[in-house]
Amino acid sequence: MAANAENNRRKFIAFILATAFVALALYVFYHWLDPVLRAYLAARMPTRMPGGPITEDNLLKVPKLILWSLLAYLGGRALNTILFEFVVRIRRGYEAPTLLRNIVTLVTFTILFVVIFKLEYPDVELGALFTTSAIFGVIIGLALQDTLGNFFAGISLHADRPFQVGDVIVVGQQKHTGVVEGITWRAIKIRTFQNHIVLVANSTAAKEAIEVAPRDNLNARLVSFSTIYTDSPAKTIHVVREAVRDADNVTDKIKPIVRIRGLRDSSIDWEIKYWLDDYAKYNDTDALVRQRVWYALRRNGLTFAFPTRTLYLEKSVPVRPVTVEDQIADRLSAVDIFSPLSTDELRQLAKVTAGHVFAPGETLIRAGEEGSSMFVVHSGRVAVQVPDKSGPRTVAVLTEGNFFGEMALFTGEPRTANVVAIEETEVLEIGHDAMKHIFDTNPGLAESISWTIAERQEDLAKGSAASAQTSLHETAGLLASIKRFFGLR
Ligand code: CMP
């Protein structure tokens, strides 16, 4: 602001000095130089052309015309300042575009020039001078071709107002990017992010596509990164979104979006979409966002992707890391129906179970479908849902160590409910054959399972029809059908 005021003060002093100088020059010319030059020219000029156009009087009018024109130009500028600075800006609070100001100066000057010219050379027909001179027209036309193109493109830019001072734009084939500082009669002035000024001719801009990020708009940016395949998507989304949210200049009006952009050879490619309070600072904010992502991934044990190759060595017996098997056996030992199994039996069972990971919201089991395996929740949570008039009704939430899917497996009936992952969930799948093997060695298992099934059937019946009580009789029936189904004695 202070620099601006200083600048204005300098301009004002320069203006006063220039005006004083031109006025003085006019005074000197009229009072001293005119008689001296007139006498000099009269002595030198040939007397052959009396009454011809070149007389000493006409010659002397030329410097006078120039000086008066200079004064007219300064007057035009003064008028412009009074009109736009004092009347329009200060009184009305409206900032007039530079182009409009230039046009007003030009028109004022032209009018003053014509008036001065007419006063000095009343006999010369100005209109005729312009219209009758075809060569003059061609020269002017050619010389002003670009200038006029820019001028009219500038007018259309002002009328159209596709962007305003302060907006960030990308323009031209070279993709000049920066903050708009102004539009003159010739060009759009952009300050780039390297603090350079780029002038894009109005006529060029009129032909090109212009990308505008308006100042008063919530503009978004995309930043990408990659993680390795073993990192969980749900966790990555959560961690990155939280990290980006409170970075400076990331607006809190819209939550950032973190989404998978592609699945590549050795990476999951991600895209963060976030919105900025001040778009002009997007370079800094992009950098800050990337930095936050690095720290957040590091803190949460997630890994940036790098080119990798996985070699699988096939052996006749599939090898499975012992630690994973141990973990599974550990988990199975905590499931109540498997508590009678020995460590060896648990290990055998762990060998034939398969682990599956589900994303939040994914359906693991659909009511009505056939099913020949049951599941143990290894990590996460699932909801057991039955359809109801007002949408799905949750009858139970099962967590680590709980099992489900046993009803269809042991009775051969269709699945009784939907089972949906509430959060990222890993389940262990146990198939029909594995269970048959366990039943053979642990006949008591079928009974404890039949109790669980009976209880769950009762829960399901409660919601839908008249309540039912689990009776010994029913459980015995269930047990008999399980034995039949598995071919047990
Ligand atoms: P299944 O019928 O094979 O498929 C759906 C599963 O949801 C079912 O086996 C049970 O394991 C489970 N389920 C049904 N009702 C309940 C309940 N009330 N509580 C817990 N789990 C249930």
Side-chain angles (χ1 to χ4, degrees):
M1 263 342 242
N4 223 352
E6 174 65 13
N7 213 357
N8 283 345
R9 207 172 59 88
R10 279 206 197 134
K11 272 188 187 168
F12 182 69
I13 293 173
F15 174 79
I16 296 291
L17 286 178
T19 315
F21 177 78
V22 175
L24 185 71
L26 272 169
Y27 180 82
V28 168
F29 198 91
Y30 273 96
H31 284 84
W32 291 336
L33 278 178
D34 190 76
V36 176
L37 284 175
R38 200 175 285 274
Y40 176 79
L41 285 173
R44 289 280 184 128
M45 292 260 288
T47 45
R48 270 173 265 138
M49 299 186 293
I54 303 181
T55 62
E56 68 263 25
D57 196 34
N58 275 349
L59 272 181
L60 281 174
K61 279 176 182 172
V62 174
K64 283 185 207 159
L65 192 67
I66 293 173
L67 284 173
W68 278 116
S69 300
L70 275 175
L71 205 61
Y73 172 73
L74 290 168
R77 291 291 298 262
L79 196 76
N80 188 302
T81 308
I82 292 166
L83 185 67
F84 290 107
E85 288 294 323
F86 300 116
V87 179
V88 178
R89 193 160 74 86
I90 297 183
R91 288 262 178 104
R92 302 254 164 112
Y94 168 72
E95 186 84 50
T98 324
L99 186 68
L100 179 68
R101 297 185 60 161
N102 289 345
I103 292 174
V104 169
T105 308
L106 194 74
V107 170
T108 320
F109 174 73
T110 312
I111 294 171
L112 288 176
F113 179 81
V114 170
V115 170
I116 295 165
F117 191 89
K118 274 284 168 198
L119 286 175
E120 291 293 337
Y121 298 102
D123 304 336
V124 180
E125 204 38 70
L126 252 186
L129 199 69
F130 280 103
T131 47
T132 53
S133 170
I135 292 176
F136 181 77
V138 170
I139 292 171
I140 290 284
L142 287 177
L144 292 185
Q145 202 174 28
D146 285 349
T147 313
L148 287 177
N150 282 330
F151 179 73
F152 287 113
I155 289 180
S156 89
L157 278 176
H158 272 287
D160 227 18
R161 289 204 160 268
F163 51 79
Q164 298 187 12
V165 172
D167 291 354
V168 174
I169 64 167
V170 183
V171 63
Q173 276 168 351
Q174 282 96 5
K175 300 241 168 286
H176 296 297
T177 308
V179 182
V180 177
E181 290 216 327
I183 307 167
T184 66
W185 58 272
R186 200 186 79 74
I188 303 170
K189 188 172 163 193
I190 302 172
R191 188 172 291 274
T192 69
F193 296 125
Q194 291 81 41
N195 207 18
H196 301 163
I197 297 286
V198 173
L199 295 167
V200 182
N202 290 340
S203 56
T204 312
K207 281 183 227 139
E208 304 282 348
I210 306 177
E211 186 184 330
V212 184
R215 196 173 40 166
D216 51 3
N217 183 46
L218 272 181
N219 300 294
R221 289 282 300 167
L222 298 175
V223 167
S224 49
F225 67 99
S226 306
T227 56
I228 57 173
Y229 271 100
T230 44
D231 286 346
S232 138
K235 184 173 175 187
T236 309
I237 290 174
H238 177 73
V239 163
V240 172
R241 194 160 54 188
E242 289 310 307
V244 171
R245 265 173 94 163
D246 52 33
D248 266 1
N249 200 26
V250 172
T251 186
D252 49 12
K253 295 188 187 104
I254 308 178
K255 240 184 173 180
I257 294 172
V258 180
R259 58 194 173 199
I260 296 181
R261 206 185 47 184
L263 300 173
R264 301 268 296 275
D265 281 356
S266 27
S267 63
I268 300 183
D269 286 359
W270 292 89
E271 180 174 84
I272 307 168
K273 182 174 183 183
Y274 72 93
W275 285 261
L276 297 98
D277 286 326
D278 182 358
Y279 190 72
K281 295 193 185 131
Y282 72 71
N283 279 323
D284 290 342
T285 315
D286 278 3
L288 184 64
V289 163
R290 290 188 192 104
Q291 197 194 71
R292 288 287 165 94
V293 170
W294 190 92
Y295 282 107
L297 292 195
R298 174 99 182 222
R299 267 198 312 276
N300 290 280
L302 300 167
T303 317
F304 277 108
F306 47 88
T308 53
R309 272 221 193 284
T310 311
L311 289 182
Y312 292 99
L313 297 178
E314 285 209 3
K315 292 199 175 163
S316 51
V317 180
V319 206
R320 203 167 175 185
V322 179
T323 49
V324 175
E325 218 168 80
D326 281 350
Q327 273 177 10
I328 295 177
D330 233 31
R331 164 63 63 225
L332 294 177
S333 70
V335 180
D336 47 5
I337 53 164
F338 296 137
S339 54
L341 302 192
S342 69
T343 318
D344 260 5
E345 282 172 327
L346 284 172
R347 202 157 273 186
Q348 287 303 320
L349 185 59
K351 269 188 188 163
V352 289
T353 56
H356 307 288
V357 183
F358 290 87
E362 269 195 291
T363 303
L364 288 79
I365 278 183
R366 262 177 238 284
E369 285 183 353
E370 296 288 309
S372 57
S373 49
M374 62 173 282
F375 302 86
V376 171
V377 181
H378 191 34
S379 64
R381 281 184 313 148
V382 296
V384 179
Q385 298 176 334
V386 288
D388 206 353
K389 274 170 258 140
S390 53
R393 178 169 58 86
T394 300
V395 292
V397 171
L398 304 177
T399 59
E400 289 169 13
N402 293 150
F403 62 90
F404 60 91
E406 78 295 343
M407 290 169 130
L409 172 64
F410 295 128
T411 60
E413 300 286 325
R415 299 282 193 200
T416 53
N418 288 332
V419 180
V420 181
I422 298 174
E423 57 198 54
E424 188 182 78
T425 302
E426 183 169 2
V427 293
L428 305 172
E429 184 178 11
I430 305 169
H432 179 277
D433 292 348
M435 280 317 291
K436 179 163 169 33
H437 184 72
I438 292 175
F439 280 146
D440 285 341
T441 47
N442 292 274
L445 205 65
E447 194 174 336
S448 59
I449 287 179
S450 61
W451 274 105
T452 310
I453 296 179
E455 269 168 30
R456 289 183 171 178
Q457 277 178 342
E458 185 193 327
D459 277 354
L460 289 175
K462 258 187 221 159
S464 55
S467 74
Q469 277 289 317
T470 314
S471 66
L472 266 175
H473 177 69
E474 274 171 57
T475 317
L478 211 49
L479 182 59
S481 77
I482 292 175
K483 284 186 169 174
R484 235 187 350 266
F485 191 61
F486 275 82
L488 308 174
R489 278 183 297 117

